[in-house]
Amino acid sequence: MTRPTTTLGLLGDTASRDYADKLRLFNAFAAPEIRQAIASLALKPGMRILDAGCGTGEALAWLADDVGPDGAAIGMDLATPHVRAAHSTAAKSGSLLLQGNILALPMVAASVDLVWSVNVINHLRSPVAGLQALMALVRPGGRVALGQSSLLPDMYFAWDSRLERLVNEAVRQYYRDRYQLDERDLTSIRAIAGLLRQAGLRDVHVRTFMIERLAPLRLEDENYLLNAIFRGTWGSRLQAYLSSSDHEEVMRLCDPNHPDYALRRPDFHFLQSFTLAVGVV
Ligand SMILES: C[S@@+](CC[C@H](N)C(=O)[O-])C[C@H]1O[C@@H](n2cnc3c(N)ncnc32)[C@H](O)[C@@H]1O
């Protein structure tokens, strides 16, 4: 299979790629569940934590709160625009930020108590190698916590399982075409528990948090679903993958000015999973 040679990651990440807006929208939307996931780690003041692939730095700031002034929350990301955004998000927490590749990080071995990494390992062409590079940074007895959203199919259209199935399949096919991937190339989106074991972590356990929203939505929820999903991910991109009548219906459901707008339906009920897999080094 021919792969684009100009991109570094499986999903097109490079040092200059910028999807900071989408990351900010996601973190504002999923903040309650991500903070619950962080709380499940029972972090202690004074700990040193690396947020690998920190994106725009929201979780970095929450991690920094938990470890306090005697600890350290270090953020790193491949993309310069994301590191820049994380600088402003986490400015108050005094977090350290690095730009670099997980596979070649300029950090001292065994220097952190925990690596936190959310929705990143599935962007790597060699997830086990990435995980092992992160494990090398953790002291013996420390932990690696990998978070991944949507291990289960999401529920968007609670009232229409057929249209939802077609849209989910259309989105997946769109991404496979865009990045020239086979369905099996995307296995690491769902195989995180197995990856931790394969990489040699011990005492692996998992916990799934459900991001569940019901109409009426909070502003953060509507902002993410409308701008990042309906406009940013779906929209005209799905046209080639749906029949014209299904695409027209999706466009009506995604249009805030249309009476059929999904996010204002009283039967709008949304589900998305967020799974945290943790193992000991
Ligand atoms: C989907 S985003 C997740 C960001 C953040 N963890 C969050 O939950 O909002 C994936 C992030 O991983 C970064 N990334 C991708 N490949 C990377 C690599 N090889 N090394 C470091 N960061 C990488 C991207 O630049 C992007 O910021």
Side-chain angles (χ1 to χ4, degrees):
M1 180 169 291
T2 320
R3 299 202 187 277
T5 49
T6 47
T7 58
L8 191 70
L10 190 68
L11 302 180
D13 291 285
T14 64
S16 57
R17 182 134 182 243
D18 184 357
Y19 46 96
D21 289 348
K22 223 169 177 175
L23 295 178
R24 286 199 188 289
L25 288 167
F26 174 73
N27 283 287
F29 159 72
E33 290 76 16
I34 296 175
R35 299 198 78 163
Q36 243 182 301
I38 291 176
S40 75
L41 294 170
L43 303 178
K44 303 256 181 323
M47 286 176 90
R48 283 173 62 81
I49 297 180
L50 171 69
D51 184 348
C54 64
T56 43
E58 288 78 7
L60 184 63
W62 300 327
L63 294 163
D65 280 349
D66 282 2
V67 300
D70 295 333
I74 304 153
M76 66 80 41
D77 202 281
L78 178 69
T80 311
H82 296 177
V83 174
R84 202 175 298 130
H87 257 296
S88 62
T89 309
K92 275 195 225 106
S93 66
S95 302
L96 209 76
L97 277 147
L98 305 170
Q99 196 243 328
N101 187 340
I102 282 176
L103 294 164
L105 275 183
M107 281 182 66
V108 176
S111 60
V112 302
D113 299 296
L114 177 105
V115 168
W116 165 268
S117 188
V118 167
N119 291 337
V120 176
I121 212 76
N122 59 311
H123 288 237
L124 306 182
R125 291 193 189 281
S126 315
V128 173
L131 201 45
Q132 286 172 334
L134 293 175
M135 285 163 65
L137 303 175
V138 178
R139 64 160 172 82
R143 293 173 290 170
V144 174
L146 287 192
Q148 187 71 52
S149 44
S150 288
L151 263 58
L152 298 172
D154 303 340
M155 181 168 84
Y156 286 90
F157 302 150
W159 57 89
D160 191 341
S161 56
R162 176 194 157 277
L163 189 63
E164 183 177 288
R165 173 176 55 77
L166 293 172
V167 169
N168 275 335
E169 194 39 59
V171 172
R172 288 182 174 91
Q173 191 58 51
Y174 165 80
Y175 275 103
R176 292 200 290 270
D177 289 351
R178 176 172 172 182
Y179 298 117
Q180 299 168 43
L181 298 170
D182 182 83
E183 191 165 358
R184 273 169 277 194
D185 292 331
L186 297 170
T187 298
S188 56
I189 286 180
R190 49 181 281 151
I192 51 173
L195 283 178
L196 290 189
R197 290 204 164 126
Q198 218 186 319
L201 285 149
R202 296 177 288 116
D203 300 333
V204 173
H205 69 270
V206 291
R207 186 164 162 200
T208 293
F209 300 83
M210 222 7 124
I211 303 174
E212 181 163 40
R213 305 287 184 263
L214 196 64
L217 296 179
R218 298 178 311 155
L219 185 62
E220 294 89 333
D221 299 332
E222 183 167 356
N223 278 344
Y224 169 71
L225 293 168
L226 174 62
N227 295 311
I229 303 296
F230 292 177
R231 288 175 175 157
T233 306
W234 298 0
S236 55
R237 291 168 165 192
L238 299 193
Q239 194 158 9
Y241 301 95
L242 292 170
S243 70
S244 56
S245 61
D246 286 336
H247 185 250
E248 278 162 22
E249 185 172 357
V250 172
M251 295 310 278
R252 283 195 298 276
L253 289 166
C254 294
D255 179 357
N257 298 314
H258 198 282
D260 294 347
Y261 180 43
L263 303 185
R264 271 185 221 124
R265 285 177 65 121
D267 53 355
F268 182 79
H269 179 190
F270 172 90
L271 289 173
Q272 177 177 7
S273 63
F274 178 81
T275 299
L276 191 67
V278 184
V280 175
V281 173

